[in-house]
Amino acid sequence: MKIFSTEHIRNIDRVTIEEEGVSSMELIHRVAEGVVNEILSRWSPSKPTMVFAGAGNNGADALIVAKLLIEAGFNPHVVLINVKGDSLSPDCRACRDELLRLGNVAMTEIVHTSHIPTLTADHLVIDGLFGTGLRNPLEGGYMAMARYINESGATVVSIDVPSGMYGDWNSRILARNVVHADLTVAVQFPRLAFFLSDNAPIVGQWKVVDIGLSRRAIEQTPTKYFFIEKDDVRRVLKRRPDFCSKADFGHALLFTGCYGMMGAAVLAARGALRSGVGKLTVHAPRCGFSVLQTAVPEALYLPDRNENVISDMTPRVNFTAIGVGPGIGTNDATRGALETLIKTIKRPMVFDADALNIISRTPALMDHIAPGSILTPHAGEFDRIFGSQASSETRLLRALEVAHKYKVIIVLKGRYSATVRPDGKIFFNSTGSAAMATAGSGDVLTGIITSLLAQGYKSEIAATAAVYIHGLAGDIAAHVEGEYGSLSGDIAACVGKAIKAIMQV
Ligand SMILES: NC(=O)C1=CN([C@@H]2O[C@H](COP(=O)(O)OP(=O)(O)OC[C@H]3O[C@@H](n4cnc5c(N)ncnc54)[C@H](OP(=O)(O)O)[C@@H]3O)[C@@H](O)[C@H]2O)[C@@H](O)CC1
Ligand SMILES: Nc1ncnc2c1ncn2[C@@H]1O[C@H](COP(=O)(O)OP(=O)(O)O)[C@@H](O)[C@H]1O
Ligand SMILES: [K+]
C-alpha cells in the first residue's frame, strides 16, 4: 500500500471530486460511517460521548459522526469551534446544519468564549478538531483544548490524524500539545507518522477507512513510502519449476557464532534453510562443531582455525551470498577478519549484530562496503554507527542519508521495521509483534535475508521480502506460543510456514 504525503492526499481527494463526480459531502459521509463503525464495534450507546469539531472538513467529518452516533442511540455532546462565528468551511457549515436538523442536539458552539463542558475519564472523545489542514503547531486556546482532552483521561478516537499532529514529519511539535488518541481512524491511507515509534503514544491503535478515492489517481501518484503487505511479497517470490535442483537456489555462507553465542549461528542457519536456500555453509569457531552439526545437520560446517572466535573470514566455498554478524563478538581477531572481508569482497553482503558493532568502532569501514549490501541495525546499533539520534524521526532521516551516501540498504528494525533504500524509498513492514522482542529473533532475519540474496533476489527485494516473511513467521509462532512464550527458535521454525502462507493464492 502506498503511503502518501498530505499534499498528495489532497490532490487525490480533488481528482476524485472533479473527475469521478463524487461530492465532498459524500466523502465526508463515507469517512463518518467508517469512523462510526469502529466506534460501534467497541462501545455501547450508554458511553458518555463528547465530539470536538473544528472549523474545517475534519470538523465536518466529526459533525456527521455525531449525527450517526445519535441515530445509533448515543447521546453525544458536540463542541464546535467557530471563532467569531464565521470561520466554518462551507462543508462544515452544511454538516452542522444537517446535524442540527435532527433536533434536540446538545451542542456548544465556541464563538467568542472558550467554555468547554466538563470532560471526565469516563468519556469517549471524538477528536475532529484538525486533520490534514493543520498549518502550524497548535497554540493558545487550541493547544489548551488538546491538553484539556489529554489531561481528562478520556478515551479518544481521532479522525484522520490526532489533532495537532501532521501526517508526515513532525519535528516541530511537542507531544503534550497534541491530542493523544487511543484509536486513530485515518482516511484512505495510513500516514508516515504512524510508523515512527515516538508517535505511538499519540496515534494509539490505527485503522484505515476506505472511502473509495480515485483508483487511477492513487495508481498514478508517485510516492517514496510504502506499507508492505502480503500481496506485495507474493508478487516477488518466485515459484519453483518442477525441473530444478539445489544448485538453482544458491549457496549461502554465514560467518556466525563464538564461544557462548553459538545459538545465534543456529538461529541464523535455520532462518536461511527454512527460507529455501539450496545449500548453506556456516563458518564458525571450532567450539561450535558439535552444536551446529547437531542442531542444524542440514548445514555444512566450516571450522575456523580458532577455537573460540572467528579469526578468518576468507570465503573458502563457492558462495552466492554472505551474511555476517550474529554472535561473532567484537574481539580483535574477529574485527581484523571482518575488515579484510569488507575490503576484499565487492558483492553485496548482509551485516548484522556484532558486525555492525565492529563497524561502529571503525566507521571508515563504511566507505568499503559493497554497494547493495544490507545492514540490519536495531535503533541502538544504528546510533552506535551513525551517531546518537534524538528521535525515531531523525533516525529515519539519517538512515535515508546513509543509504544514499553509501548505496546500501538499511533495515531499521522495530515494530514497523523500515527498509530504507539508496533511492530514498522507505518500505514499512506490516507483520510482526511484541512476541518477537526476544533474544535471537534478529539472527533469524539475517539468515532469511542471506538466503534470499543467495537465491538470486536483488538486495532491495531480498531485504523487504525477508522482513515481511520474518514478521509473519513471528505472528505464526505467537499464534501458538503466545506473546510471552515465543522463542526465536519458534520464529525460525515457522519461516517455511510463513512463505507457504504468502504463496498460497
Ligand atoms: N482526504 C480526503 O480525501 C478527505 C478528507 N476529509 C477530511 O478533511 C480533513 C481536511 O480538512 P481541511 O482541509 O478543511 O482541514 P482541517 O484539518 O479540517 O483544518 C482546517 C481548519 O483548521 C484551521 N487551522 C489550521 N491550522 C491551524 C492552527 N495551527 N491553529 C488554528 N487553526 C488552524 C484552518 O484555518 P484557516 O487555515 O482556514 O485559517 C481551518 O479552519 C481531513 O483531515 C479529513 O478529516 C474528508 O472530509 C473528505 C475526504
Ligand atoms: N514490538 C515488535 N513488533 C514487531 N517486531 C518486533 C518487535 N520487537 C522486535 N521485533 C522484531 O524482532 C527482531 C529483533 O531483532 P534484534 O533486536 O536484532 O534482536 P536480537 O539481536 O536479539 O536477535 C527485529 O526483526 C524486530 O523488527
Ligand atoms: K483529528
Side-chain angles (χ1 to χ4, degrees), residues 2-65:
K2 288 178 169 179
I3 301 169
F4 288 111
S5 68
T6 294
E7 200 186 325
H8 282 139
I9 293 173
R10 284 178 165 275
N11 196 40
I12 294 168
D13 183 21
R14 187 186 53 74
V15 170
T16 306
I17 291 169
E18 286 174 6
E19 293 183 9
E20 301 203 350
V22 183
S23 70
S24 60
M25 283 299 278
E26 170 62 24
L27 293 179
I28 289 166
H29 279 78
R30 291 181 193 172
V31 173
E33 273 163 32
V35 173
V36 168
N37 284 340
E38 295 295 338
I39 294 171
L40 296 182
S41 69
R42 290 172 175 77
W43 296 282
S44 68
S46 59
K47 185 80 181 158
T49 304
M50 205 174 290
V51 176
F52 287 83
N57 280 23
N58 197 244
D61 296 341
L63 293 167
I64 301 303
V65 167

Side-chain angles (χ1 to χ4, degrees), residues 1 10 19 31-32 41 59 66 76 181 187 210 273 303 312 358 360 367 377 388 399-400 447 471 478 490 503:
M1 185 194 288
R10 284 178 165 275
E19 293 183 9
V31 173
S41 69
V187 178
D210 185 343
L273 287 163
D312 179 17
I358 290 174
S360 75
D367 294 323
S388 175
L400 281 167
D490 301 324
M503 294 185 86

Side-chain angles (χ1 to χ4, degrees), residues 221-379:
T221 306
T223 180
K224 293 207 149 186
Y225 312 135
F226 302 84
F227 187 45
I228 292 297
E229 295 171 301
K230 195 187 262 182
D231 280 350
D232 302 307
V233 182
R234 182 187 292 133
R235 263 196 300 277
V236 298
L237 289 182
K238 293 174 219 149
R239 296 212 162 263
R240 294 191 163 186
D242 288 342
F243 290 88
C244 66
S245 79
K246 65 176 185 283
D248 299 318
F249 304 113
H251 184 173
L253 171 59
L254 288 171
F255 292 102
T256 62
C258 70
Y259 183 81
M261 290 201 277
M262 283 312 300
V266 170
L267 290 162
R270 287 183 179 163
L273 287 163
R274 288 276 181 210
S275 46
V277 71
K279 195 164 152 189
L280 171 69
T281 297
V282 180
H283 178 130
R286 301 193 93 81
C287 67
F289 169 70
S290 51
V291 175
L292 270 164
Q293 293 291 80
T294 312
V296 207
E298 298 84 353
L300 301 167
Y301 165 71
L302 210 58
D304 196 272
R305 281 192 307 269
N306 193 293
E307 181 63 26
N308 295 322
V309 298
I310 296 176
S311 62
D312 179 17
M313 292 187 188
T314 312
R316 286 187 270 143
V317 292
N318 204 6
F319 67 90
T320 55
I322 289 180
V324 54
I328 59 173
T330 57
N331 76 85
D332 288 346
T334 309
R335 192 197 311 192
L338 181 68
E339 283 194 26
T340 309
L341 178 77
I342 290 175
K343 287 179 180 166
T344 51
I345 302 294
K346 291 300 158 205
R347 283 159 62 178
M349 287 185 278
V350 184
F351 296 92
D352 181 37
D354 284 329
L356 300 172
N357 290 329
I358 290 174
I359 293 169
S360 75
R361 295 198 202 164
T362 319
L365 280 175
M366 282 305 301
D367 294 323
H368 300 278
I369 286 183
S373 288
I374 301 162
L375 282 69
T376 60
H378 54 59

Side-chain angles (χ1 to χ4, degrees), residues 3-9 132 161 165-171 173 190-196 199 225 393:
I3 301 169
F4 288 111
S5 68
T6 294
E7 200 186 325
H8 282 139
I9 293 173
T132 51
V161 289
M165 168 183 242
Y166 302 102
D168 306 334
W169 305 96
N170 278 281
S171 57
I173 60 157
R191 305 297 148 87
L192 177 78
F194 296 1
F195 300 102
L196 300 175
N199 297 333
Y225 312 135
E393 182 170 312

Side-chain angles (χ1 to χ4, degrees), residues 398-465:
R398 181 88 178 105
L400 281 167
E401 278 173 21
V402 167
H404 179 71
K405 178 173 177 190
Y406 298 106
K407 304 284 173 268
V408 294
I409 291 138
I410 305 280
V411 177
L412 255 181
K413 293 185 291 194
R415 166 63 190 100
Y416 297 107
S417 293
T419 302
V420 181
R421 294 186 184 176
D423 61 4
K425 288 189 176 155
I426 306 177
F427 296 78
F428 294 98
N429 187 47
S430 59
T431 52
S433 74
M436 298 180 77
T438 178
S441 75
D443 306 331
V444 178
L445 176 64
T446 305
I448 305 172
I449 305 179
T450 311
S451 166
L452 294 187
L453 207 54
Q455 289 172 65
Y457 289 95
K458 286 201 177 76
S459 298
E460 285 82 355
I461 303 286
T464 313

Side-chain angles (χ1 to χ4, degrees), residues 161-233:
V161 289
S163 294
M165 168 183 242
Y166 302 102
D168 306 334
W169 305 96
N170 278 281
S171 57
R172 291 182 303 136
I173 60 157
L174 280 177
R176 69 193 176 111
N177 296 342
V178 176
V179 172
H180 286 221
D182 295 280
L183 171 68
T184 297
V185 185
V187 178
Q188 196 77 47
F189 312 101
R191 305 297 148 87
L192 177 78
F194 296 1
F195 300 102
L196 300 175
S197 61
D198 293 343
N199 297 333
I202 301 174
V203 176
Q205 189 196 2
W206 59 264
K207 294 269 171 179
V208 170
V209 45
D210 185 343
I211 59 163
L213 293 182
S214 161
R215 292 277 138 216
R216 190 190 61 76
I218 293 171
E219 269 162 34
Q220 290 182 357
T221 306
T223 180
K224 293 207 149 186
Y225 312 135
F226 302 84
F227 187 45
I228 292 297
E229 295 171 301
K230 195 187 262 182
D231 280 350
D232 302 307
V233 182

Side-chain angles (χ1 to χ4, degrees), residues 58 127-131 157-164:
N58 197 244
D127 158 36
L129 287 169
F130 301 101
V157 176
S158 286
I159 303 174
D160 207 11
V161 289
S163 294

